[in-house]
Amino acid sequence: MKLPLISVPIVEIPLEKTVRLFLKREDLVHPEISGNKYWKLFNNVNQYLEKLAPEKKIITFGGAYSNHIFTISAVGKIYKISTLGIIRGEELREKWKDNFTLKKASDNGMKFCFVSRADYRDKENLTKKLQEEFPDALIIPEGGSNELAVEGIQHMLTNDTKEFDYLCSAVGTGGTLAGISRSAAEKQKVLGFKVVEDSSLENQIFKWSGKKNFELISAGFGSYGKITDENIRFINDFNDKFGILLDPIYTGKMMQKLFEMIDDNYFESGSKILAFHTGGLQGIEGANAMLRNKKREEIRF
Ligand SMILES: *Cc1c(COP(=O)(O)O)cnc(C)c1O
């Protein structure tokens, strides 16, 4: 059994504006391997499942709140493949059980190796060593971004997405936006909402995509993972009004910025805008635990 091709609905977010906004619900693609991570893993995992290896193993990299780490652990559970997560931050070795994402990944059977931030930065060297030690293992880079991942994102674009003038997605490592950019129709403009300031992103995305049909827009509030009270309120309002839950690291930030741009008349009148809901909802419990600790407003779900 391989990861199947699944299609998800496109729903309109009714705004009473001169433009129309739609959301493609990739968050519904799978209960655990959700959102863009499903498509980034699609070819990586399906090709690996075909491989005859005496002992299958998937190794990957991520931080303590990583959606990618969690989805890899879920793949391991579903396909009975052992998984190893190389986690950034040695300090977590003692207290990873307090972290929702790592706890859930461990419940799915993932083993961890905690490394210092310096070692983590040198992932190329780590990857080389791991591949020597585990020659049959599938090693997937941080965030799941590689050529096969970019290729898999093409499944988020279908006949139904062709009618839109703008295609929007949150950007972390850029693999998802590169896939959207590569598969977009000629007249479509691709907007990437960066949740991390990284000056190499634009070149990296261009290298993967081969097209310059995209624009990057800052949607973060400073550092990666930063959560503001204003954005929490936005996420809760959005859910109250439209019945759709957004995550506080990616999709909540993209959507708040998109609303601002619509109010500022960034889009010409009559435009049809499609945003991808890339999932990430597994991270909400962890974010809420942090917010609760600081006696701040939490995300209702
Ligand atoms: C990982 C992730 C992204 C970013 O994807 P990249 O391919 O790394 O840019 C966007 N949204 C969600 C919910 C994610 O989990």
Side-chain angles (χ1 to χ4, degrees):
M1 190 192 64
K2 296 207 222 172
L3 291 174
L5 275 171
I6 290 169
S7 60
V8 295
I10 294 175
V11 297
E12 180 158 16
I13 307 298
L15 291 180
E16 293 174 30
K17 299 274 179 188
T18 59
V19 300
R20 292 176 72 191
L21 175 64
F22 297 79
L23 200 51
K24 186 155 187 275
R25 301 288 310 272
E26 300 295 348
D27 57 312
L28 301 176
V29 78
H30 189 281
E32 289 183 290
I33 315 168
S34 125
N36 61 335
K37 300 301 186 285
Y38 186 92
W39 299 115
K40 291 177 85 171
L41 292 176
F42 190 77
N43 291 330
N44 279 296
V45 168
N46 283 349
Q47 287 191 12
Y48 188 62
L49 288 171
E50 278 181 0
K51 205 174 140 176
L52 295 170
E55 202 191 336
K56 287 204 170 82
K57 187 183 197 69
I58 305 179
I59 304 174
T60 196
F61 302 84
Y65 296 92
S66 166
N67 294 326
H68 170 67
I69 286 289
F70 174 71
T71 51
I72 288 288
S73 76
V75 167
K77 185 183 71 179
I78 293 164
Y79 291 103
K80 302 189 171 55
I81 297 173
S82 70
T83 55
L84 174 65
I86 312 296
I87 309 296
R88 181 181 56 227
E90 282 174 308
E91 73 282 359
L92 289 159
R93 192 173 293 131
E94 312 304 327
K95 50 180 189 187
W96 63 266
K97 285 187 182 130
D98 300 335
N99 175 286
F100 278 92
T101 299
L102 296 181
K103 177 72 176 57
K104 286 184 287 188
S106 167
D107 290 345
N108 281 342
M110 183 177 259
K111 298 274 183 282
F112 302 126
C113 173
F114 297 95
V115 300
S116 69
R117 284 170 167 72
D119 285 346
Y120 189 87
R121 234 169 280 132
D122 195 7
K123 284 188 283 299
E124 265 176 42
N125 186 34
L126 263 176
T127 303
K128 221 173 96 218
K129 282 193 192 150
L130 287 162
Q131 198 74 81
E132 279 164 17
E133 191 176 342
F134 304 104
D136 287 328
L138 170 64
I139 302 186
I140 301 182
E142 181 179 45
S145 284
N146 57 17
E147 170 52 33
L148 286 177
V150 173
E151 203 181 283
I153 292 293
Q154 67 175 294
H155 297 297
M156 286 171 38
L157 286 88
T158 59
N159 257 337
D160 297 344
T161 64
K162 288 203 177 101
E163 62 178 292
F164 295 94
D165 303 302
Y166 291 89
L167 302 175
C168 305
S169 174
V171 174
T173 61
T176 302
L177 201 80
I180 294 171
S181 155
R182 194 194 282 182
S183 295
E186 204 165 322
K187 67 165 185 83
Q188 292 181 310
K189 295 184 202 90
V190 177
L191 301 182
F193 293 78
K194 286 185 290 185
V195 301
V196 54
E197 285 308 326
D198 174 351
S199 56
S200 67
L201 263 177
E202 180 139 4
N203 271 332
Q204 180 58 261
I205 294 170
F206 179 60
K207 229 163 79 190
W208 275 321
S209 153
K211 284 169 150 183
K212 262 275 151 69
N213 54 353
F214 65 90
E215 191 181 327
L216 294 179
I217 292 160
S218 291
F221 313 100
S223 56
Y224 173 80
K226 182 166 176 168
I227 300 174
T228 65
D229 291 334
E230 189 197 351
N231 194 237
I232 298 294
R233 252 175 313 216
F234 177 86
I235 288 169
N236 284 334
D237 282 351
F238 191 91
N239 196 7
D240 288 345
K241 274 193 202 126
F242 309 117
I244 297 172
L245 188 57
L246 303 169
D247 83 290
I249 310 295
Y250 292 101
T251 55
K253 290 175 176 171
M254 167 184 72
M255 202 48 82
Q256 188 181 345
K257 184 71 190 177
L258 202 42
F259 271 41
E260 277 169 31
M261 289 165 68
I262 290 171
D263 284 341
D264 291 345
N265 297 315
Y266 175 95
F267 300 98
E268 52 278 35
S269 165
S271 296
K272 285 181 83 179
I273 306 160
L274 180 67
F276 291 94
H277 191 323
T278 43
L281 304 177
Q282 72 81 24
I284 291 178
E285 276 173 291
N288 273 351
M290 182 280 288
L291 294 165
R292 200 173 314 133
N293 246 328
K294 298 192 169 162
K295 302 200 165 30
R296 290 171 52 187
E297 188 177 348
E298 295 174 37
I299 300 170
R300 293 189 300 271
F301 69 104

